[in-house]
């Protein structure tokens, strides 16, 4: 009695939420999404549409990345699923073999598609040349063990059980024979989609992608047949994290394909055994994510979390062509353990949405020098009181190349009429302290250098530290036939305090 | 080299059958043994009484001699409730081995009932799980090698290979410290009490096992979770019923030490 009360209240609450949603023009948010105008079917208590009608239907099973067609049915049916357990050696990476235990000969196993309310007669056949017994736990089954207790199948045997698919959603299935983790780690998982009674919105393409983590005694990409490593599995330290069971299963010639203008729906599962997935498609934003494979969807999602033994459906519309990379955004897995897949979209460019490359030119930023090692040495020597002119010059050169050479050129020649030369400069010779002063405060107005007049603006570089200014100044003083000498950090500090009349405020 | 020649002589010799079969029971001394399984009614080390065990699993040649002497266990005659349809199905005929069942390969596709009858006919019996586990814990030099990770991996390597290629002949692998061969790496083997393996069909039900399946026994779980090689054997045996046969399941017999 109490249970019933608890049940009714949330239902009323959901209705209350749903009603104001009716007059919205766009897609309603979250919880109201599917329930506004139609009789919403919630949960197992409303998922029984009575006995199966019509002739039994043989389920179409597909290998990844393909998805069976929509059931297209409006009444509950009896659906017969025949799934074979096959133990076989397949490549897990190039030149690396692994003994996979599979549902249907692939990792992940065959995709099963039924409709909510269907009665599923499940046949599990374990091949005669299997070494191990196996069973199946379908998360879409209501009943103890999800079917595992009724499907323990010795090699060369066949078991059968029947269940009614009461809950709509995308569900993982897997083997639950001891040691469970090992059976899963060897690839024994897949997915069953239980369509809601009204079906799912039509899309142009559907794909089946499932992540798994794998544990081999050899290192990542170590060649040869690699046995399963239980210790690594217990430590949750996978050698491979993969989409669809092998490195390259969905890249290159095997990439998923689509066309610009199409909407793609992906059924993405995580078989585990250990890791959860931060699933992301680089360069796309999921228009909708049916998170956790359930009934509601979230919109405009960048990355969605898929727990081990969980799933999600996602849709996105392709606006521009190119290769979209599917990754586990726990990113070392993508680039060091194999969790990469590609979706290639063909079609016309749309420069209004994405321009492609517009500019590629040289840019030397304030710190573009590829190594500031000498600067670090100088700072260290300065701290210990042992800074030599050579060290100052070495540090100053790095900074000069990054900061000053853009205008004054790498050889200090400047540009005639625009940037005064600082090589063999009579301006510097007459006043060596002009170097730190101009660096710190800039220079505005007319100057004459080596007989030529300049009238431009040198911006103040007061973002540089006293050290850095001292080092650059010392470098310039001792280069290109300038008079030599040394500018100290203390002198720079003093100059920083005095702002001359011809200081520049910048460009 | 010497081993190879010896083996060749054995194969050629007409006395082989007697040598490798009922004649070659090897003594296994008594001892105390910590099973990888956890017996709730008898915690700690189990006492194991002395027994003797066949050096290798029963071969096709040996089993052929048995069905010749015991026609009711021939293929087609054995009742299907005691031996399913695939019983000896890899033999060319009920009394003919053929290419897919060489005389010195271990016999497979035999049910528990058939294996039990074979051993009884030898004045022997199937080993209990504990006896089998006790003998199988040994490697070439140690009575209990189970804590050696390398040894375990050697065993597991066989487990992880599908058995879709021809079985090697019996007696090829090095003998263990009791001079017994092929307890690992050749075929699964029946045990006398396989049906009391208290593993639920759904392994995750530990602690909530289907006690109704077992007579007077409590739940059983793994004591040594690292030793998952044992767990896989238990899983294999508990997936079977007594009339079942598979392409990689054979047996050997033991005798009580008088």
């Amino acid at each position: 009695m109490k249970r019933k009360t608890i049940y009714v209240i949330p239902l009323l609450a959901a209705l209350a939420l749903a009603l104001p949603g009716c007059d919205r023009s766009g897609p309603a948010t979250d919880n109201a999404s599917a329930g506004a105008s139609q009789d919403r079917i919630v949960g197992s208590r409303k998922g029984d549409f009575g006995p199966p009608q019509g002739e039994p239907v043989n389920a179409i099973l597909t290998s990844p990345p393909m998805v069976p067609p929509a059931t297209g049915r409006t009444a509950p049916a009896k659906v017969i699923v025949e799934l074979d357990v096959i133990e076989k050696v397949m490549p897990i990476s190039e030149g690396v073999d692994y003994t996979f235990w599979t549902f249907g000969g692939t990792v992940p196993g065959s995709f099963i598609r039924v409709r909510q309310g269907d009665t599923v007669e499940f046949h599990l056949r374990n091949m005669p040349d299997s070494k191990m017994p196996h069973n199946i736990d379908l998360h879409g089954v209501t009943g103890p063990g999800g079917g595992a207790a009724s499907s323990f199948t010795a090699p060369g045997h066949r078991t059968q059980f029947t269940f009614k698919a009461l809950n709509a959603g995308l569900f993982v299935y897997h083997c639950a024979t001891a040691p469970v983790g090992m059976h899963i780690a060897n690839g024994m998982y897949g997915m069953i989609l239980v369509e809601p009674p009204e079906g799912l919105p039509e899309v142009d393409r559907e794909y089946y992608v499932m992540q798994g983590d794998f544990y081999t005694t050899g290192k990542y990409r170590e060649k040869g047949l690699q046995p399963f490593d239980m210790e690594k599995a217990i430590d949750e330290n996978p050698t491979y994290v993969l989409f669809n069971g092998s490195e390259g299963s969905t890249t290159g010639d095997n990439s998923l394909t689509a066309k610009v203008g199409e909407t793609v729906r992906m059924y993405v599962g995580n078989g585990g055994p250990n890791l959860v997935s931060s699933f992301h498609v680089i360069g796309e934003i999921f228009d909708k994510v049916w998170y956790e494979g359930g009934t509601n969807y979230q919109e405009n999602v960048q990355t969605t979390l898929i727990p081990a033994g969980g799933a999600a459906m996602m849709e996105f519309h392709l606006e521009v062509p190119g290769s979209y990379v599917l990754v586990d955004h726990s990113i070392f897995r993508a680039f060091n353990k194999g969790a990469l897949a590609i979706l290639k979209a063909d079609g016309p460019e749309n420069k209004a949405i994405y321009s492609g490359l517009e500019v590629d030119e040289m840019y030397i930023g304030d710190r573009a020098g590829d190594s500031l090692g000498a600067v670090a040495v100088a700072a260290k020597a300065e701290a210990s009181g042992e800074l030599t002119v050579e060290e100052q010059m070495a540090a100053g050169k790095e900074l000069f190349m990054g900061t000053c050479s853009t205008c004054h050129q790498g050889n200090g020649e400047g540009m005639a009429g625009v940037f005064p030369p600082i090589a063999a400069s009579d301006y510097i010779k007459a006043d060596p302290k002009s170097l730190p002063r101009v660096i710190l405060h800039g220079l505005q107005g007319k100057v004459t250098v080596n007989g030529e007049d300049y009238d431009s603006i040198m911006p103040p570089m007061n973002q540089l530290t006293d050290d850095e200014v001292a080092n650059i100044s010392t470098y310039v003083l001792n280069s290109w036939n300038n008079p030599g000498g040394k500018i100290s950090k203390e002198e720079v500090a003093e100059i920083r305090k005095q702002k001359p009349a011809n200081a520049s405020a910048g460009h | 080299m010497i081993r190879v020649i010896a083996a060749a002589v054995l194969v050629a010799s007409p006395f082989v059958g007697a040598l490798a079969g009922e004649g070659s029971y090897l003594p296994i001394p008594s001892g105390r043994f910590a099973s990888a399984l956890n017996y709730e009614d008898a915690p700690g080390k189990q006492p194991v009484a002395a027994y003797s065990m066949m050096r290798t699993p029963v071969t096709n040649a040996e089993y052929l001699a048995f069905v010749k002497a015991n026609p009711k266990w021939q293929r087609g005659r054995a009742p299907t409730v005691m031996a399913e349809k695939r019983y000896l199905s890899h033999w060319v005929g009920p009394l003919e081995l053929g290419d897919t069942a060489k005389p010195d390969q271990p016999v497979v596709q035999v049910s528990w009932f058939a294996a039990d009858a074979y051993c009884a006919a030898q004045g022997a019996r199937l080993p209990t799980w504990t006896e089998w586990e006790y003998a199988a814990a040994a490697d070439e030099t140690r009575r209990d090698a189970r804590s050696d990770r390398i040894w375990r991996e050697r065993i597991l390597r066989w487990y992880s290979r599908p058995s879709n290629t021809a079985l090697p002949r019996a007696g090829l692998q090095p003998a263990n410290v009791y001079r017994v061969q092929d307890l690992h790496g050749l075929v699964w083997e029946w045990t006398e009490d396989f049906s009391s393996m208290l593993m639920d069909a759904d392994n995750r039900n530990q602690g909530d096992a289907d006690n109704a399946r077992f007579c007077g026994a409590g739940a059983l779980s793994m004591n040594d979770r690292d030793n998952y090689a044992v767990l896989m054997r238990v899983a294999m045996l508990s997936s079977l019923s007594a009339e079942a046969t598979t392409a990689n399941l054979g047996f050997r017999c033991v005798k009580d030490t008088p």
Side-chain angles (χ1 to χ4, degrees), chain A residues 349-399:
Chain A
E349 301 276 2
N350 184 343
K351 300 282 189 190
I353 287 175
Y354 185 73
S355 71
L357 182 64
E358 290 182 314
V359 174
D360 176 8
E361 62 183 21
M362 194 170 70
Y363 169 73
I364 302 165
D366 282 354
R367 293 207 174 223
D370 56 0
S371 163
L372 292 176
V375 179
V377 170
K380 208 174 154 197
E382 167 68 28
S384 61
E386 296 161 1
L387 190 66
T388 63
V389 169
E390 284 70 32
E391 281 169 342
Q392 271 193 290
M393 282 181 68
K397 184 180 181 186
E398 294 288 352
L399 292 161

Side-chain angles (χ1 to χ4, degrees), chain A residues 474-496:
Chain A
T474 303
Y475 169 66
V476 174
L477 273 180
N478 291 279
S479 304
W480 316 305
N481 294 323
N482 281 330
K486 182 172 160 70
I487 304 286
S488 75
K489 180 176 138 187
E490 288 72 24
E491 291 172 85
V492 174
E494 202 53 38
I495 292 166
R496 192 186 287 276

